[in-house]
Amino acid sequence: MFRRSGTATTLTTALVAAAAALVLTASTSVAAATAPGFLAGADLPPHPSSPWYAGAVTKGLPESAPFCLEGVLPAAGSWHRVFGTEYDTGAVQVSVRSASPSAAAKLAGTLERKVAACAADWLRTTPGGTASWQDYGTLPVEEGAHVYGVHTSIPESEPGVHLFGIGRDGATVTVVQWGQMGDLSHAPVADFKKTTTKAVNKLNP
């Protein structure tokens, strides 16, 4: 009767483990190569009292959709990164690899229209609330970017202000949403335009 030696068994186990490690490494490399480039915390508008903390770049959409963009960001081809501070200021970036540049241009247009209509849409579902928005214009980066601001408030509650940067590089679209308590006069528009430009420049189309 043939009996496999302990040395042979050990060698077989080692070879299987090595093969598994190679597969895992290859899968990780493919995943890393697939993810678009993302902002770092230092790329966001500086907070006066706190550093920015950046979460991991994660495949798929965030658990909660960015304000104003519920239901319009596709899960397929999406990646996201959440940012926070020690106070009330937070941000999220979502990037989407579309099937083609034309599909990406269509998605970017949809996102822009959704943000531009956000204040009016919010008012229709929030009795007693007030809201306003501002178009801060386009940015000359890659295939273009657009920055908007939205302010919302309800009685006996803190008002909220949000900035949105939507841009495209080839078939990849990115949206950055920044928010804190306050109104549009508190929004760091100039710094956020720099953030949006960096976000688009960092994409890997």
Side-chain angles (χ1 to χ4, degrees), residues 2 5-7 11 19 26-27 42 44 61 65 73 82 102 104 131 133 137 148 153 166 173 178 180 183 185 189:
F2 175 77
S5 69
T7 300
L11 179 60
S27 299
L44 290 160
L61 296 175
L73 284 163
V82 177
S102 60
W133 73 289
Y148 300 87
S153 181
I166 300 164
V173 176
W178 168 99
Q180 69 174 28
D183 56 37
S185 69
V189 177

Side-chain angles (χ1 to χ4, degrees), residues 80-152:
H80 72 274
R81 188 174 212 177
V82 177
F83 304 86
T85 66
E86 295 173 1
Y87 296 92
D88 65 315
T89 307
V92 61
Q93 181 183 5
V94 179
S95 296
V96 182
R97 289 198 186 283
S98 299
S100 65
S102 60
K106 183 177 180 180
L107 174 61
T110 298
L111 296 174
E112 290 186 28
R113 289 190 295 274
K114 183 73 171 177
V115 171
C118 180
D121 290 343
W122 185 86
L123 282 173
R124 280 192 287 271
T125 59
T126 313
T130 59
S132 59
W133 73 289
Q134 182 69 48
D135 184 340
Y136 292 115
T138 59
L139 301 172
V141 54
E142 299 300 342
E143 274 70 63
H146 209 141
V147 174
Y148 300 87
V150 177
H151 163 253
T152 59

Side-chain angles (χ1 to χ4, degrees), residues 1-110:
M1 179 181 293
F2 175 77
R3 177 176 295 175
R4 177 177 292 175
S5 69
T7 300
T9 302
T10 301
L11 179 60
T12 300
T13 302
L15 289 173
V16 170
L22 286 173
V23 171
L24 179 60
T25 301
S27 299
T28 302
S29 298
V30 170
T34 302
F38 271 77
L39 293 168
D43 297 323
L44 290 160
H47 190 283
S49 306
S50 171
W52 280 97
Y53 303 101
V57 175
T58 304
K59 190 172 179 61
L61 296 175
E63 186 174 342
S64 298
F67 178 64
C68 291
L69 296 176
E70 297 87 348
V72 294
L73 284 163
S78 294
W79 296 78
H80 72 274
R81 188 174 212 177
V82 177
F83 304 86
T85 66
E86 295 173 1
Y87 296 92
D88 65 315
T89 307
V92 61
Q93 181 183 5
V94 179
S95 296
V96 182
R97 289 198 186 283
S98 299
S100 65
S102 60
K106 183 177 180 180
L107 174 61
T110 298

